[in-house]
Amino acid sequence: MTQAVKQAYDVVVLGAGPVGENVVDRARAAGLSVAVVESELVGGECSYWACMPSKALLRPAIARSDARAVPGLRHLVQGPLDARAVLAHRDYYVSDWKDDGAVGWLDSTGARLVRGHGRLTGVREVAVDGPEGERHLLTARHAVAVCTGSRAALPDLPGLSGARPWTSREATSAHHVPDRLVVVGGGVVAAEMATAWQALGSHVTMLVRGGGLLERMEPFVGEHVADALTERGADIRTGVSVSAVVRDGGTGPVTVVLEGGDHVEGDEVLFATGRAPRTDDIGLETVGLEPGSWLTVDDSLRVTGHDWLYAVGDVNHRALMTHQGKYQARIAGAAIAARAAGDALSGSDPWGAHEATADHAAVPQVVFTDPEAAAVGLSLDEARRAGHRVRAVDLDLSGVAGAGLYADGYRGLARMVVDLEREIVLGVTFVGPGIGELLHSATIAVAGEVPIARLWHAVPAYPTLSEAWLRLLEAYRDGAGTS
């Protein structure tokens, strides 16, 4: 190993994914010097193994499904997808797993990129072991921001380690279509990847421990998605647990053994069974924190008990979604800059730049299944458990004029959860084709705590799916719903 190079910066960022990039952007805009450490590709999980490749795989599947519901077009799109073209489309959107473009942007900010694995070695200190054996010792004058994200968590099952299972990374980067794909899990990754690979030609079997898909959303969401997958040939088994995985020599078919002795065979098996923080080897023990743990933060994303350490994005376990991590990063960057300048964070921030309040009440999410699912704020059950006096209003979206024009036989449902004491919307959920683009209007209503009386004056264009808002308000006015 070469002699260590010591350098000081105002801010050191661990992780150059979307979250780290946004911390860099805000800190540099405030005139702070920044070093960012990355052990893999600049651009991170979202760019190469999550958001971008998964949506590139899903878009052709959803577009074909939509076209099949349009008169005059459906007869032209009855054939299979061109899998080779879809995978090439995916490869384009991940830049063939090369980060030249992302590095170019990072360079344009004036931040310094340090390649290698970074570890805390003490207060405001980071050591980086580079790819050529070099070592960098970085000191942060003001803050270190941990933006290392999360990884797929695999269960401890007999035979799993030798069976070469897919995780979310393999599912979004594979270059062949398995004839049979077994998906273990019922959450977002499981549902989206089942949708994508089934459309590409795999026979999909889903093994779900719980009672249905997407159980963190309103119950009707998982029902709609499961019905659609089943109609297209998927085998969805709920209330089942995997006890072992067998794959002789790590090649050939894989056998997934269920508790009770039943088994399922596939050519590949995807485990989408949760996430774990990438904090196990970043030196947390040197500053009194537990390696491998989620990091608890305040609303300015500062780690509890450490006035110089920030944890932004997945690592703090507040909301494991890229857009929410980028939101947190903008908050953290502004907070770091304000503290570096000696400014107080409270009482002088009309833009809310220093507190990630949306993490508590207005987290939006779109699930790019077919049909799409989208939600923001609290579900009915969450609102009740939080002690709110609420009423939920449901709407069959097939009755909205824009739905019939969107697709023949349109099926979808919307739910609006209203706080009866303050007369504001606490949460909204949609499921149906094309509803992802409706979500931001719901997010504004929830985050802005817009009174119901004012929402009447937000006139939806006719004939669009957004007319669902008018129908939900009418139903609420007429006393419909569940309290």
Side-chain angles (χ1 to χ4, degrees), residues 20 67 164 202 217 243 247 258 262 274 337 366 378 416 474:
R164 296 185 298 105
S202 295
M217 304 181 82
S243 60
R247 193 173 209 163
L258 308 180
D262 197 3
V366 179
L378 302 179
M416 179 175 71
E474 289 174 339

Side-chain angles (χ1 to χ4, degrees), residues 100-113:
D100 297 1
V103 170
W105 175 85
L106 191 62
D107 288 344
S108 76
T109 69
R112 183 194 173 197
L113 171 63

Side-chain angles (χ1 to χ4, degrees), residues 59-362:
R59 179 58 192 153
I62 293 171
R64 180 183 64 170
S65 179
D66 286 348
R68 286 177 171 177
V70 177
L73 184 59
R74 61 170 57 96
H75 69 285
L76 299 176
V77 289
Q78 292 304 314
L81 290 174
D82 182 340
R84 180 177 296 181
V86 172
L87 297 179
H89 172 70
R90 183 270 319 273
D91 293 352
Y92 170 80
Y93 271 95
V94 299
S95 302
D96 291 310
W97 291 275
K98 297 176 183 176
D99 63 1
D100 297 1
V103 170
W105 175 85
L106 191 62
D107 288 344
S108 76
T109 69
R112 183 194 173 197
L113 171 63
V114 182
R115 297 270 192 186
H117 185 79
R119 297 177 182 86
L120 293 165
T121 56
V123 175
R124 298 186 179 88
E125 295 178 347
V126 174
V128 184
D129 293 323
E132 303 299 327
E134 71 276 21
R135 168 163 277 212
H136 303 269
L137 300 178
L138 309 177
T139 300
R141 299 184 188 95
H142 299 294
V144 174
V146 177
C147 308
T148 49
S150 64
R151 57 177 171 78
L154 290 172
D156 184 13
L157 291 174
L160 183 59
S161 60
R164 296 185 298 105
W166 280 8
T167 66
S168 53
R169 281 198 169 195
E170 289 77 19
T172 57
S173 63
H175 282 89
H176 73 282
V177 179
D179 290 335
R180 300 168 299 171
L181 175 64
V182 180
V183 178
V184 181
V188 174
V189 172
E192 287 190 347
M193 291 298 93
T195 300
W197 288 103
Q198 179 173 282
L200 285 167
S202 295
H203 179 269
V204 172
T205 301
M206 298 189 73
L207 305 176
V208 185
R209 177 179 293 182
L213 304 184
L214 303 171
E215 289 193 309
R216 293 187 179 181
M217 304 181 82
E218 296 281 11
F220 62 80
V221 170
E223 294 169 5
H224 274 69
V225 173
D227 287 348
L229 281 166
T230 301
E231 287 173 6
R232 297 184 181 103
D235 177 9
I236 301 176
R237 307 184 191 185
T238 58
V240 297
S241 295
V242 176
S243 60
V245 180
V246 179
R247 193 173 209 163
D248 292 338
T251 60
V254 60
T255 300
V256 181
V257 182
L258 308 180
E259 289 185 359
D262 197 3
H263 67 275
V264 179
E265 285 197 354
D267 297 288
E268 301 290 353
V269 58
L270 162 63
F271 273 80
T273 49
R275 307 288 296 178
R278 294 184 63 181
T279 60
D280 50 321
D281 189 23
I282 61 168
L284 291 182
E285 68 280 1
T286 68
V287 293
L289 296 169
E290 182 182 352
S293 66
W294 302 103
L295 298 176
T296 303
V297 298
D298 63 18
D299 279 348
S300 69
L301 291 311
R302 190 164 57 174
V303 176
T304 303
H306 296 73
D307 63 2
W308 56 275
L309 185 63
Y310 292 73
V312 194
D314 282 12
V315 289
N316 62 41
H317 208 234
R318 286 162 71 108
L320 276 66
M321 285 166 278
T322 296
H323 52 271
Q324 212 68 21
K326 292 166 68 173
Y327 160 74
Q328 292 177 10
R330 296 190 291 270
I331 303 293
I336 290 168
R339 288 182 172 126
D343 296 339
L345 297 196
S346 59
S348 61
D349 182 24
W351 297 100
H354 303 134
E355 293 186 345
T357 55
D359 285 349
H360 304 299

